[in-house]
Amino acid sequence: MFLNNRNRKYGYHGIRIGHNEIDNLEIDTQGNYIVHEFKRGRKALEGDIFQVLHYIELLENEGFKVRYGVLHLLGANKIKIVEKTPELLSKLEKAYENINNLRNDKMPEPVKNYYCSHGCSYAFFCWG
C-alpha cells in the first residue's frame, strides 16, 4: 500500500514532512515504512543515496519505523536498495556538518570576470 495512492506520473504529489517532500512511502504488512525516491538518471549518485538516507532518518526521528529506502532509477529502469549502515550514517553526519559550516561561514567576495567588464552586453548579469 502506498500513502499517496499514485503511480509515478508527472504532476503527482509527494508526502511532505516539514520542508522535505518524499516521493512515496510504502507501508508493509508489519506496519514498517519503505521510502521510495524516483530519479530520472541512469545511476545512483552519492547525493541521491544521502537524500533517501536523510528521509529515513527524518521519519525515524518522527517516531516511524523504516525498514529501508528504494531509489528508482527511471533512466536505467533499475532500483537500488538503500539501507542504514554505520558507514553511510557517518558520511551523512559529515555532510550535515559541512552544510552547517557553509551556512555559518562568511560569504566569499565575488570573482570579477574581466571578459564582462569592458562593454559586454550581458554585463548586467555579472555585476547587477
Side-chain angles (χ1 to χ4, degrees), residues 2-25:
F2 290 99
L3 285 185
N4 67 4
N5 289 327
R6 292 184 175 191
N7 292 331
R8 169 70 176 173
K9 294 179 185 172
Y10 291 106
Y12 77 100
H13 298 286
I15 293 101
R16 293 188 70 75
I17 298 176
H19 294 292
N20 300 282
E21 186 168 340
I22 302 171
D23 285 347
N24 212 333
L25 282 175

Side-chain angles (χ1 to χ4, degrees), residues 6-84:
R6 292 184 175 191
N7 292 331
R8 169 70 176 173
K9 294 179 185 172
Y10 291 106
Y12 77 100
H13 298 286
I15 293 101
R16 293 188 70 75
I17 298 176
H19 294 292
N20 300 282
E21 186 168 340
I22 302 171
D23 285 347
N24 212 333
L25 282 175
E26 180 182 355
I27 304 172
D28 67 8
T29 55
Q30 289 86 25
N32 299 320
Y33 287 79
I34 301 169
V35 175
H36 290 267
E37 184 67 25
F38 297 90
K39 298 294 179 183
R40 291 191 282 180
R42 292 185 168 270
K43 61 182 182 176
L45 302 175
E46 188 177 39
D48 300 334
I49 294 168
F50 283 164
Q51 182 180 4
V52 173
L53 196 60
H54 169 73
Y55 291 154
I56 291 171
E57 285 289 302
L58 181 71
L59 287 168
E60 287 182 348
N61 289 340
E62 293 290 324
F64 298 100
K65 187 173 179 188
V66 182
R67 282 182 49 199
Y68 55 85
V70 180
L71 189 58
H72 297 266
L73 304 169
L74 302 177
N77 202 19
K78 294 181 182 177
I79 63 169
K80 178 170 179 58
I81 304 296
V82 178
E83 294 182 345
K84 280 177 49 174

